[in-house]
């Protein structure tokens, strides 16, 4: 049998150990402090009901979304239009994928962050000093026809189910981006028309049970580099959001998605809307799966604060840049608490 050190993926390493290997252990100042995390009650993260977004409630729902983007940077949505069976199917496919034999999963393995379909572990093995307690399958998924042929063929229904889910989520994102544009006082199509050709990535994150969850992270505190993230969680808690200087656990509510504002939305809104720090913690009893969809500009898309949000009292906070430039910096500097956005501010020294 191969020694534990030979395991490439955490899933295969974790099943045979009873303590966290040294390369996963955070320094004492950088640990999750799980006892200090606040539990979320129903009121802690706004829950927006999208029923009626295309009807008479539109203005009210847009106001709720705008308030959530401004005050929280995170909100949950229900009545989002994606059928429960589609959501269940994607979660089942992810679970099946991570239960495949090691040799089958490894066919998709790469530690090269530039590859558009890859199975990997942690975050960026080439730049990080401490590993994160997760494996992940990352896929590019827009335009679908450009990427689908790269995706795994096992489980057999993977491409069909994931393709359908991606299409549904994209429709939802475009609906939300119109609402967010309007909430900023911009034309309904403004955000959509300022993302170049658009891009959509997706991750299936797998967090195995961890013998010492207080020593490590699934993912440490970070903001998302993209425009908007639509997160599907299973029923195991793990997501935490920084609110008013405290970490708050966002416990899953069935049939909802979590929406979070990414760095590009903060730029377009000229700092009116905030991309907030969030992290994933692990536990010793149960595996956890989360499936975020990252909607983003295409690489050549030019991002800048919306002209309509700049005036004498609100000068542009950021210079213009391509998404490619931003994304490259984000991946190479690793997941740091200070936001990558600071490097793009006009007045940064």
């Amino acid at each position: 049998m191969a020694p534990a050190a030979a395991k490439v993926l955490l899933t295969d390493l974790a099943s045979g150990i009873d303590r966290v290997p040294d390369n996963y252990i955070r320094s004492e100042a950088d640990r999750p402090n799980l006892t200090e995390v606040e539990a979320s009650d129903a009121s802690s993260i706004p829950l927006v009901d999208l029923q009626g977004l295309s009807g008479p409630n539109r203005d009210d729902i847009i106001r709720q979304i705008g308030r959530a983007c401004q005050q929280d940077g995170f909100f949950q949505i229900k009545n989002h239009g994606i059928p429960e069976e589609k959501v269940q199917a994607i979660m089942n496919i992810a679970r099946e994928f991570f239960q495949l034999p090691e040799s089958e999963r490894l066919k998709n393995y790469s530690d090269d962050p530039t590859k558009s379909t890859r199975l990997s572990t942690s975050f960026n093995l080439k730049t990080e000093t401490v590993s994160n307690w997760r494996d992940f399958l990352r896929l590019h998924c827009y335009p679908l026809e450009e990427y689908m042929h790269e995706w795994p063929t096992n489980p057999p229904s993977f491409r069909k189910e994931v393709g359908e889910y991606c299409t549904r989520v994209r429709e939802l994102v475009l609906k939300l981006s119109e609402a967010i544009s309007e909430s900023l006082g911009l034309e309904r199509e403004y955000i959509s028309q300022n993302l170049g050709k658009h891009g959509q990535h997706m991750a299936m994150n797998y967090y195995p049970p961890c013998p010492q969850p207080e020593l490590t992270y699934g993912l440490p505190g970070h903001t998302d580099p993209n425009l908007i993230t639509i997160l599907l969680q299973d029923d195991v808690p793990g997501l935490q959001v920084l609110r008013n200087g405290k970490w708050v656990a966002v416990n899953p509510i069935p049939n909802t998605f979590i929406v979070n504002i990414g760095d590009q939305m903060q730029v377009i809104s000229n700092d009116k809307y905030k991309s907030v720090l969030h992290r994933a913690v692990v536990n010793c009893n149960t595996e956890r799966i989360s499936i975020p969809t990252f909607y983003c500009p295409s690489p050549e898309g030019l991002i800048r604060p919306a002209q309509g949000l700049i005036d004498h009292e609100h000068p542009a906070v950021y210079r213009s840049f391509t998404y490619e430039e931003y994304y490259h910096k984000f991946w190479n500097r690793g997941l740091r608490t200070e936001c990558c956005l600071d490097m793009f501010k006009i007045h940064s020294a």
Side-chain angles (χ1 to χ4, degrees), residues 54-166:
S54 307
N57 297 343
R58 185 172 180 83
D59 289 351
D60 182 45
I61 296 171
I62 284 172
R63 264 193 301 277
Q64 289 178 48
I65 289 173
R67 195 161 53 238
C69 291
Q70 195 161 8
Q71 294 174 2
D72 301 279
F74 255 82
F75 55 98
Q76 299 172 91
I77 52 172
K78 65 179 184 177
N79 293 318
H80 42 66
I82 300 181
E84 198 179 331
E85 60 271 17
K86 289 277 165 239
V87 172
Q88 209 41 62
I90 191 89
M91 198 48 90
N92 292 344
I93 282 281
R95 206 171 296 281
E96 283 175 42
F97 176 83
F98 286 106
Q99 287 170 349
L100 288 170
E102 181 180 15
S103 57
E104 189 61 36
R105 275 177 285 121
L106 283 172
K107 291 176 183 174
N108 305 285
Y109 182 79
S110 170
D111 62 4
D112 176 3
T114 62
K115 279 196 73 172
S116 48
T117 299
R118 69 193 184 102
L119 174 69
S120 195
T121 191
S122 191
F123 176 70
N124 185 347
L125 296 173
K126 294 182 172 177
T127 59
E128 66 198 10
T129 51
V130 185
S131 296
N132 301 300
W133 198 263
R134 74 157 184 164
D135 288 338
F136 64 94
L137 177 66
R138 200 171 171 104
L139 312 168
H140 285 221
C141 34
Y142 182 78
L144 262 182
E145 60 277 6
E146 282 184 26
Y147 297 111
M148 215 174 192
H149 66 277
E150 303 174 352
W151 293 358
T153 50
N154 198 358
S157 60
F158 187 97
R159 292 181 180 180
K160 176 181 178 293
E161 295 291 359
V162 176
E164 287 179 15
Y165 177 80
C166 290

Side-chain angles (χ1 to χ4, degrees), residues 48 69 97 126 130 170 184 186 198 214 222-223 232 271 302 307 313:
V48 178
C69 291
F97 176 83
K126 294 182 172 177
V130 185
R170 180 168 187 267
L184 285 163
L186 302 167
H198 294 218
E214 68 283 357
H222 64 285
T223 62
L232 173 63
D271 264 1
L302 195 63
Q307 201 59 46
E313 286 172 20

